[in-house]
Amino acid sequence: MSFTMTGPKAMSLSRYFPILDWGRRYDHTAFTGDAVAAVIVTIMLIPQSLAYALLAGMPPEAGIYASIAPIILYAIFGTSRALAVGPVAVVSLMTAAAVGNIAESGTAGYVAAALTLAFLSGAMLLALGLFRLGFLANFLSHPVIAGFITASGILIAASQLRHILGIEAEGHTLIEILTSLWAHLGEINLMTVALGVSATAFLFWVRGGLKPLLRRFGLGPRMADIGARTGPVLAIVATTLAVWAFDLGAWGVAIVGEVPQSLPPLTLPSFSPELISQLVVPALLISIIGFVESISVAQTLAANKRQRIDPNQELTGLGAANLAAAFTGGFPVTGGFSRSVVNYDAGAETPAAGVFTALGLALAALFLTPLIHYLPKATLAATIIVAVLSLVDLSILKRAWDFSRADFAAVSVTILLTLIAGVETGVTAGVVTSILVHLYKTSRPHMAVVGRVPGTEHFRNVLRHEVETQPHVLSLRVDESLYFPNARYLEDQLATFAADKPELTDVVLVFAAVNEVDLSALESLEAINARLREAGIRLHLSEVKGPVMDRLKRSHLLDELTGKIFLSQHEAARELDAERKPATAPSD
């Protein structure tokens, strides 16, 4: 299997179709690694896809459908060699929260809304990729992501308790879920509890105990690790057989039931303006969260093999995957951490492993679905609970508190609002808080009066080091780019520092850390220059970076500047100091 197109045209096409790049070099070794990885990931994905469909409120087969065509489309357009695309816990929860406000789970309207949500998410991701706007995801800071995933993990685990207990409960916030669970406690099905608790306990043991056991039986570290990751299959087989053999459905144990034996159908999302207006914001949030989660996994795995990930092309790949889900009976998808790690560890060499996985899932959809008729929903819930609790990291609160109170505020707001008000409110509040924190920090940039370290050409903060200063010179280092939120702050700080030096004749602004000066900041610099000139004080600049100087040259500031532009602060201090020294009188 190979592609023979070469030359500049091929290079240009491969930028948009990465399959043309890795496909040219595809060989038997890569095929073997991809095929082995596909078998292992397929075994893992069958129960996982069913579980995440349950979490999203969709029919179980939708989880398998969402893992077939999207994987193939990502393999064509995506740049990661190991990323496995499909339903994931957080995006499934966000899907349930968004669609649950519009239609009741199990209805045709619910499925149509989920398809539309996938379509909108795919269209947004595709647009962001085509216009190369991947940088927008940077507005979602790591503390906010960590807080959101932690809160989502708690919400997901709580929402699945109803399946473990065998009761009817609902809600999209922690308070709603717990209140509903409490109200239905009298309806607990003990047989369901026995199955659910046993499956949960087994899956927790699998995470820490199965790998050492497999090692003792002679398996190598890699195969033992892969075997441990496919542990959920054992729980599904055991509990399904138990339900079938002992007719536990008659005891009130909820089962998956009949699942269609078919390939993904061709479906059409709704283009109702009213429905689209209700889903636009959730689709945008799902797109951002999904992209951030996916790109983090992709870059981590690529770094291990020194491969390159193109974030903008990843947007295109994920967009195509979601569009595929919308037209083949699925729901929003993204790159999943656990399946991608298994894919990587199992030896996947190229995205073709995803294509082979899709073929395996298609065969499962055609021939294996009757085998999951008796699969208890409690087992799927146990699979979800064990998977998502590994995402919960409350230690982020302590780390954020110790490192940055502003980041702690962002994390706390995100976690609390996600738990109390729901995932959409939580992530929106997290984004807004991150932006506000950033604006607050940059609106009050650190500025330091600097002096010379004795015997050197280095200048440091007078409050932190023993330095030499000149009484008539104020050297102020600005440690932030200057733009509209902090322009006035520079004026205020300079006035404060200057008031402490009655003998002041010169002010030097050290621009070593200034990477940008916008029009508002330029006007502030011009105002500072004018005020200092009226007071008989000269304004100088030192260590101005090239791009900033290029911008300043297009203004009137340099023409009106009362002082000079110095290449270094050492040069500025030396010249200004020499000006103050009296000339030596000539000898007789």
Side-chain angles (χ1 to χ4, degrees):
M1 183 189 300
S2 64
F3 295 90
T4 57
M5 184 181 293
T6 59
K9 186 175 182 180
M11 294 285 289
S12 176
L13 284 175
S14 65
R15 175 182 175 183
Y16 301 101
F17 298 91
I19 189 174
L20 297 178
D21 179 31
W22 58 263
R24 287 199 307 270
R25 297 185 294 274
Y26 202 73
D27 55 23
H28 183 268
T29 302
F31 171 79
T32 302
D34 289 342
V36 171
V39 171
I40 295 170
V41 174
T42 300
I43 295 172
M44 173 189 177
L45 272 186
I46 293 174
Q48 197 177 76
S49 299
L50 296 171
Y52 290 146
L54 179 72
L55 176 59
M58 295 288 286
E61 64 271 16
I64 297 178
Y65 297 161
S67 301
I68 297 178
I71 296 179
I72 297 174
L73 266 291
Y74 178 81
I76 296 173
F77 294 100
T79 58
S80 173
R81 302 293 180 93
L83 191 69
V85 172
V88 300
V90 173
V91 171
S92 297
L93 173 67
M94 296 178 74
T95 299
V99 179
N101 293 325
I102 297 171
E104 185 178 348
S105 180
T107 64
Y110 190 98
V111 174
L115 294 174
T116 304
L117 188 63
F119 173 80
L120 291 174
S121 178
M124 290 176 180
L125 288 166
L126 200 59
L128 290 172
L130 292 176
F131 289 103
R132 310 192 70 77
L133 298 175
F135 70 90
L136 292 176
N138 296 334
F139 286 103
L140 206 58
S141 68
H142 175 72
V144 167
I145 287 289
F148 175 72
I149 290 178
T150 291
S152 297
I154 296 172
L155 272 182
I156 292 170
S159 71
Q160 296 307 297
L161 289 177
R162 63 192 177 101
H163 296 296
I164 298 292
L165 300 176
I167 62 179
E168 291 295 330
E170 56 187 17
H172 297 299
T173 70
L174 188 60
I175 295 174
E176 291 174 352
I177 292 170
L178 295 180
T179 301
S180 184
L181 288 172
W182 179 261
H184 292 86
L185 274 182
E187 305 167 10
I188 286 179
N189 183 287
L190 295 180
M191 191 60 68
T192 301
V193 171
L195 279 174
V197 171
S198 299
T200 304
F202 172 75
L203 291 173
F204 272 118
W205 173 80
V206 161
R207 284 183 169 263
L210 184 56
K211 182 177 179 179
L213 182 63
L214 294 176
R215 291 298 308 278
R216 284 199 293 271
F217 278 100
L219 266 68
R222 179 182 167 191
M223 292 307 299
D225 187 55
I226 292 173
R229 292 180 185 276
T230 56
V233 177
L234 300 177
I236 283 176
V237 170
T239 54
T240 301
L241 288 175
V243 171
W244 171 75
F246 299 105
D247 193 20
L248 297 183
W251 293 73
V253 174
I255 59 175
V256 168
E258 185 176 353
V259 177
Q261 282 184 265
S262 68
L263 292 173
L266 292 177
T267 54
L268 193 65
S270 171
F271 297 102
S272 162
E274 181 182 357
L275 179 61
I276 289 175
S277 66
Q278 291 176 291
L279 292 176
V280 164
V281 173
L284 178 61
L285 297 177
I286 286 174
S287 300
I288 295 173
I289 292 292
F291 173 64
V292 170
E293 180 177 352
S294 179
I295 197 69
S296 299
V297 176
Q299 289 178 335
T300 298
L301 297 179
N304 294 335
K305 289 190 175 182
R306 298 187 179 183
Q307 295 168 349
R308 179 180 174 272
I309 298 297
D310 181 350
N312 290 301
Q313 188 60 32
E314 283 298 289
L315 284 166
T316 302
L318 292 175
N322 276 278
L323 290 178
F327 289 101
T328 56
F331 52 96
V333 298
T334 192
F337 176 76
S338 58
R339 66 171 67 98
S340 297
V341 171
V342 171
N343 194 39
Y344 177 86
D345 289 343
E349 295 289 338
T350 72
V355 177
F356 299 149
T357 299
L359 294 176
L361 290 171
L363 292 174
L366 281 173
F367 303 111
L368 301 183
T369 51
L371 300 179
I372 62 175
H373 181 278
Y374 292 99
L375 172 60
K377 291 184 177 180
T379 303
L380 293 179
T383 302
I384 293 172
I385 289 172
V386 174
V388 300
L389 286 183
S390 64
L391 304 177
V392 176
D393 180 20
L394 293 175
S395 66
I396 186 66
L397 290 168
K398 183 180 185 305
R399 296 200 305 273
W401 176 264
D402 292 339
F403 186 76
S404 168
R405 298 295 191 270
D407 287 335
F408 174 79
V411 173
S412 301
V413 167
T414 304
I415 291 177
L416 288 175
L417 287 181
T418 300
L419 293 176
I420 295 173
V423 291
E424 291 178 18
T425 303
V427 72
T428 302
V431 172
V432 172
T433 303
S434 293
I435 294 174
L436 290 177
V437 166
H438 172 73
L439 290 175
Y440 176 77
K441 287 179 178 178
T442 56
S443 69
R444 300 173 61 85
H446 180 262
M447 298 182 189
V449 177
V450 297
R452 189 202 313 271
V453 177
T456 73
E457 297 182 3
H458 301 293
F459 287 76
R460 294 292 184 268
N461 192 336
V462 298
L463 300 179
R464 294 177 178 270
H465 302 272
E466 293 292 333
V467 295
E468 301 169 346
T469 60
Q470 301 157 290
H472 66 288
V473 177
L474 172 63
S475 297
L476 184 64
R477 190 186 68 215
V478 182
D479 293 336
E480 181 66 71
S481 291
L482 297 175
Y483 69 128
F484 66 94
N486 61 27
R488 185 60 59 85
Y489 185 73
L490 171 62
E491 297 182 46
D492 296 340
Q493 287 296 97
L494 185 56
T496 300
F497 288 127
D500 295 331
K501 283 181 169 286
E503 67 275 40
L504 189 64
T505 61
D506 294 273
V507 170
V508 183
L509 293 180
V510 186
F511 271 22
V514 176
N515 298 315
E516 179 73 23
V517 174
D518 75 354
L519 187 59
S520 297
L522 175 65
E523 291 176 353
S524 288
L525 290 173
E526 291 173 342
I528 290 170
N529 183 57
R531 289 172 191 159
L532 291 177
R533 180 173 57 229
E534 292 172 1
I537 302 172
R538 295 182 297 177
L539 176 64
H540 311 271
L541 304 178
S542 74
E543 304 189 13
V544 182
K545 293 183 176 179
V548 176
M549 180 61 74
D550 293 339
R551 182 71 61 84
L552 294 180
K553 286 179 179 177
R554 296 199 294 270
S555 71
H556 297 293
L557 176 65
L558 300 187
D559 297 329
E560 300 171 358
L561 193 67
T562 55
K564 297 182 179 180
I565 306 292
F566 294 102
L567 184 63
S568 68
Q569 182 58 26
H570 169 68
E571 178 184 311
R574 183 178 59 188
E575 183 168 326
L576 295 177
D577 187 49
E579 289 180 1
R580 297 285 291 182
K581 291 181 179 178
T584 305
S587 57
D588 293 335

